[in-house]
């Protein structure tokens, strides 16, 4: 890819990482964590440490393997075309299904501020589709435009989120964390359940490693953006969610569909609650913008290597792989439309399940690839990679039978494409 197309610098890439991690999860997670009380901090700690270890592995691989494509490039380098295709296919499905989930979350957040926009399932679906295609249009206008949008939207949501977390510390009630383990379950079970819930909040830590072909000085910029973005987003998310748990009574927290907005409304008035709703809407839109940009780049590398159809490598004069971008948005739209009769919550849950099932396998493959590629690593890096491997395996198993079945179905769906592409390669040779 030509140097003129390398449009993403360090700050844009950091904004993309933070923006892709901080989406909808931070605004709804406190309600899901309510039954566990202060013991939820154990699960947060496991998820944060596991995500940071994964981020470090991705950062090290970005220095060793500067190829475009993230997990796909690492898997192909370590294990060959077959495993590379599995990583690319799984991650691509993760990206477009995640975009459907985030678009639905955007509609839900907009509905909390403007109820008429989502008063019926059809209106909610149309709002989600509108946001998805606005972001698609931004990415079609160029990588740099999407990068600028990421900086603006990340600033608009990160700063208020951190301010909310810091100010909210003054209204945290110690009684909200008593008893320490409100669920009564063994602490190991609590940690496992909470870590599984918070895993969605950290998806996107690998963002910087995917579009390396449009990043300036990728071997320096990508590792720095990965670690800085993951650290900032992880700490901000953990702070905000923990503060909300401490600000609201357990019964109110558990029943609230928008716990952060409810906490702000109770402490600072209705205007503050509406303000949090607006920030949540901006947050979802910013995450959607970042993930749409990612879907345009995810299919490019395997297409250039002949593992995906050639059409995915078509680029316009701005260097945007427009076919991959459009087909991904069409698939995300189909997912929204085919399930629009569900409530927004049910649709969001379904798409999260689909996306999580598709993303855990590339994480695991990436860590295994590092062990094969960086054979001369020191003891410190090996310990971190071992922790990342254990976390990936535990998270994959802990997602449950239904999620694993979805993952198997998605992999099988890609098998005909792999077989066809290999046939084309053999027939040409």
């Amino acid at each position: 890819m030509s140097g003129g197309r390398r449009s993403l610098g360090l700050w844009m890439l950091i904004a993309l990482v933070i923006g892709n991690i901080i989406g909808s999860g931070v605004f709804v997670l406190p309600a899901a964590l309510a039954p566990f009380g202060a013991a939820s901090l154990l699960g947060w700690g496991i998820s944060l440490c596991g995500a940071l270890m994964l981020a470090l592995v991705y950062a090290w691989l970005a220095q060793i393997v500067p190829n475009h494509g993230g997990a796909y490039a690492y898997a192909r380098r370590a294990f060959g075309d077959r495993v590379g295709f599995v990583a690319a296919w799984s991650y691509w499905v993760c990206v477009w299904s995640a975009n459907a989930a985030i678009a639905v979350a955007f509609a839900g957040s907009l509905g909390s501020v403007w109820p008429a926009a989502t008063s019926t399932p059809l209106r909610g679906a149309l709002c989600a589709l509108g946001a998805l295609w606005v972001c698609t249009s931004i990415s079609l206008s160029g990588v740099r435009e999407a990068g600028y949008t990421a900086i603006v939207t990340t600033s608009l949501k990160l700063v208020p989120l951190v301010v909310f977390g810091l100010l909210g510390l003054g209204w945290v009630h110690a009684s909200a964390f008593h008893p320490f383990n409100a669920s009564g379950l063994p602490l190991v079970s609590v940690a496992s359940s909470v870590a599984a819930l918070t895993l969605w909040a950290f998806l996107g830590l690998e963002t910087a490693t995917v579009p390396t072909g449009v990043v300036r000085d990728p071997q320096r910029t990508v590792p720095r953006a990965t670690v800085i973005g993951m650290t900032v987003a992880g700490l901000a998310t953990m702070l905000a969610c923990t503060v909300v748990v401490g600000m609201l009574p357990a019964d109110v927290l558990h029943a609230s569909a928008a716990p952060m907005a409810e906490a702000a409304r109770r402490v600072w008035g209705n205007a503050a609650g509406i303000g949090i709703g607006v920030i949540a809407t901006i947050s979802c839109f910013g995450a959607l913008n970042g993930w749409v940009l990612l879907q345009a780049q995810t299919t490019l590398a395997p297409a250039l290597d002949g593992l995906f159809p050639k059409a995915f490598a078509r680029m316009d004069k701005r260097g945007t792989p427009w076919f991959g971008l459009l087909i991904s948005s069409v698939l995300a739209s189909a997912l929204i439309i085919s399930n629009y009769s569900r409530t927004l919550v049910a649709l969001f849950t379904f798409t999260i399940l689909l996306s999580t099932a598709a993303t855990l396998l590339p994480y695991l493959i990436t860590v295994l690839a590092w062990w094969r590629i960086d054979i001369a690593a020191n003891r410190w890096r090996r310990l971190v990679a071992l922790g990342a491997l254990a976390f990936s395996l535990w998270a994959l198993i802990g997602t449950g039978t239904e999620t694993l079945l979805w993952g198997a179905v998605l992999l099988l769906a890609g098998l005909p494409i792999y077989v066809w592409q290999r046939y084309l390669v053999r027939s040409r040779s």
Side-chain angles (χ1 to χ4, degrees):
M1 187 166 290
S2 65
R5 291 175 180 167
R6 294 187 181 274
S7 305
L8 299 179
L10 178 61
W11 289 108
M12 283 186 179
L13 209 55
I14 290 173
L16 279 172
V17 175
I18 295 174
N20 282 12
I21 293 175
I22 300 178
S24 56
V26 65
F27 298 97
V28 296
L29 267 177
L33 300 177
F36 304 105
S40 63
L41 290 173
L42 295 174
W44 267 119
I46 292 173
S47 280
L48 183 59
C49 289
L52 282 171
M53 287 187 288
L54 278 169
L56 284 170
V57 171
Y58 269 95
W60 297 334
L61 281 169
Q63 293 176 315
I64 302 170
V65 186
N67 302 51
H68 203 49
Y72 158 73
Y74 312 144
R76 186 167 182 261
R77 166 81 173 267
F79 304 112
D81 287 349
R82 190 174 304 167
V83 178
F85 176 85
V86 169
W89 178 264
S90 295
Y91 193 68
W92 179 53
V93 172
C94 158
V95 171
W96 62 256
S97 58
N99 284 340
I102 299 168
V104 169
F106 168 84
S109 298
L110 182 63
S112 69
V113 179
W114 182 24
T118 57
S119 58
T120 66
L122 179 58
R123 287 187 179 186
L126 290 175
C127 280
L129 290 171
L132 174 65
W133 285 98
V134 167
C135 290
T136 301
S137 299
I138 292 172
S139 285
L140 281 172
S141 66
V143 171
R144 196 163 184 82
E145 285 69 19
Y148 280 130
T149 303
I151 289 178
V152 172
T153 55
T154 298
S155 300
L156 288 175
K157 64 182 173 181
L158 180 62
V159 173
L161 190 65
V162 173
V163 170
F164 170 85
L166 294 175
L167 291 179
L169 288 171
W171 276 268
V172 169
H173 302 287
S175 59
F177 296 106
H178 294 289
F180 175 77
N181 183 6
S183 68
L185 297 172
L187 287 179
V188 173
S189 299
V190 171
S192 178
S193 298
V194 172
L197 286 170
T198 55
L199 179 62
W200 168 256
F202 292 129
L203 296 186
L205 60 92
E206 73 291 340
T207 294
T209 67
V210 178
T212 54
V214 290
V215 174
R216 293 193 295 271
D217 191 11
Q219 286 182 283
R220 281 175 51 85
T221 303
V222 171
R224 291 165 68 191
T226 298
V227 175
I228 294 172
M230 174 60 228
T231 303
V232 172
L235 292 176
T237 300
M238 186 175 177
L239 170 66
C241 287
T242 303
V243 164
V244 172
V245 172
M247 290 175 69
L248 292 175
D251 57 335
V252 174
L253 181 62
H254 188 65
S256 177
M260 190 173 294
E262 177 65 21
R265 185 188 65 77
R266 286 186 170 227
V267 173
W268 298 300
N270 287 331
I274 293 173
I276 290 294
V278 171
I279 293 168
T281 304
I282 294 172
S283 178
C284 292
F285 184 83
L288 184 60
N289 172 71
W291 281 98
V292 167
L293 171 63
L294 209 60
Q295 78 181 14
Q297 302 293 327
T298 299
T299 55
L300 178 59
L304 291 173
D305 293 331
L307 296 182
F308 271 34
K310 273 187 175 181
F312 285 95
R314 293 175 184 167
M315 290 186 282
D316 61 20
K317 62 182 180 181
R318 299 182 183 89
T320 302
W322 62 270
F323 182 84
L325 175 63
L326 291 178
I327 197 67
S328 300
S329 289
V330 167
L331 288 169
S333 298
L335 186 58
I336 294 171
I337 293 169
S338 63
N339 292 274
Y340 87 90
S341 59
R342 299 171 182 244
T343 65
L344 284 176
V345 173
L347 178 53
F348 183 64
T349 303
F350 174 78
T351 47
I352 279 180
L353 174 67
L354 191 61
S355 181
T356 303
T359 196
L360 287 171
L361 187 57
Y363 281 178
L364 179 60
I365 291 173
T366 296
V367 179
L368 292 173
W370 179 87
W371 282 97
R372 173 166 286 196
I373 294 171
D374 197 3
I375 57 176
N378 59 36
R379 183 178 299 177
W380 155 248
R381 290 196 173 190
R382 288 180 178 273
L383 285 173
V384 171
L386 186 62
L389 180 62
F391 177 73
S392 300
L393 280 170
W394 171 79
L396 186 64
I397 295 170
T399 53
T401 304
E402 186 178 7
T403 301
L404 292 175
L405 287 174
W406 269 112
V409 169
L410 292 170
L411 282 178
L412 289 174
L415 184 60
I417 294 177
Y418 176 75
V419 173
W420 175 250
Q421 289 301 119
R422 300 311 297 165
Y423 167 76
L424 289 179
V425 170
R426 291 194 191 97
S427 63
R428 288 179 192 134
S429 60

